[in-house]
Amino acid sequence: MNTNPLQALLFDVDGTLADTEEAHRQAFNATFAEAGLDWQWSVALYTDLLAVTGGRERIKHYAQTYLKNFHPPGHRDLDEFAAALHRDKTARYQGYLERGELPLRPGVARLLREARQAGLRLAIATTTSPGNVGGLLKGNLGPEAENWFEVIAAGDMVAAKKPAPDIYHYALDALKLPPENCLALEDSANGVRAALGADLRVLVTVSDYTRADDFSGAGLVVDQFGEPDRPFRVIAGDPGDSRWVDMPLLRRLAAGER
Ligand code: XBP
Ligand code: MG
């Protein structure tokens, strides 16, 4: 049994802090339509496409794997074409954030408050763009919320996105903490693989697009962080006496065997 105390929480963003993937899907589709492309990503297709993390990478993967003989207009390079579409998609998604259309998931604001009160350090480890992280935090928690996180590890700060462990290694290096002193909070199989690859223990809250994922290796899988008047439902693992994600539960998970 590892008895090292929990010192930091590393949060995924999409699906964990907020159920954002449906908004991402709609932003992709609106961007495609505006660009004159007849691409429409259905919910079923988007669920499959989430196997590839990172919006730019997802667009490129779609063009190469699902379309026969697609060539970007004007003989443009596919990387450059995907990057331009993704820039437009990001601007559109940030409009959703600015209009307050993406609330945090149940228990997130409470958990962040309790973690800060308990003196835990906070970090973000995500594949989405830094601007999307800032917009979500500011829009829901106020202008200071970004500063609650010592490290915001996001998007292209590493070469290989989740399920590669690189973004977690980046965050751990910046925190100067070993994985034994930290806990990752994730919602997807790709996220769990990334965290486990960095030797982190993981708590999963499943999200709309990830319910059917394989969460092998996670310490606990629940449907949401929960609140005292809105307890979580346990999907896999043992939460002990906790009925919502609280400090004692996080400490037990961080100290437990994988
Ligand atoms: C989930 C992702 C992201 C989003 C879209 O990231 O895979 O690519 O689907 O965001 P997370 P971008 O690690 O936060 O769960 O288009 O900005 O990549
Ligand atoms: Mg996620």
Side-chain angles (χ1 to χ4, degrees), residues 32 69 148 154 175 258:
F32 300 152
N69 299 317
W148 300 351
L175 288 168
R258 273 211 306 269

Side-chain angles (χ1 to χ4, degrees), residues 79-101:
D79 283 313
E80 184 206 313
F81 183 69
L85 281 174
H86 189 245
R87 273 195 297 278
D88 289 351
K89 176 263 172 183
T90 299
R92 189 177 293 273
Y93 179 81
Q94 287 182 0
Y96 304 163
L97 291 172
E98 280 158 22
R99 292 198 296 277
E101 293 173 9

Side-chain angles (χ1 to χ4, degrees), residues 12-18 20-21 125-127 162 185-188 191 207 210:
D12 170 54
V13 174
D14 291 300
T16 301
L17 294 184
T20 51
E21 286 302 353
T126 178
T127 66
K162 298 174 188 176
L185 300 110
E186 276 285 356
D187 75 301
S188 70
S207 62
T210 64

Side-chain angles (χ1 to χ4, degrees), residues 193-205:
R193 282 173 61 197
L196 294 178
D199 291 326
L200 284 154
R201 288 164 183 78
V202 196
L203 164 65
V204 171
T205 55

Side-chain angles (χ1 to χ4, degrees), residues 11-18 20-21 24-25 28 46 49-59 86 89-90 93 124-130 132-133 153 155 161-162 167-168 186-188 190-191 210:
F11 284 87
D12 170 54
V13 174
D14 291 300
T16 301
L17 294 184
T20 51
E21 286 302 353
H24 281 297
R25 185 182 75 87
F28 280 114
Y46 194 65
L49 289 173
L50 282 174
V52 176
T53 59
R56 198 179 59 239
E57 292 81 355
R58 193 168 300 144
I59 293 169
H86 189 245
K89 176 263 172 183
T90 299
Y93 179 81
I124 294 282
T126 178
T127 66
T128 201
S129 320
N132 290 352
V133 182
K161 293 185 173 149
K162 298 174 188 176
I167 200 75
Y168 278 109
E186 276 285 356
D187 75 301
S188 70
N190 277 330
T210 64

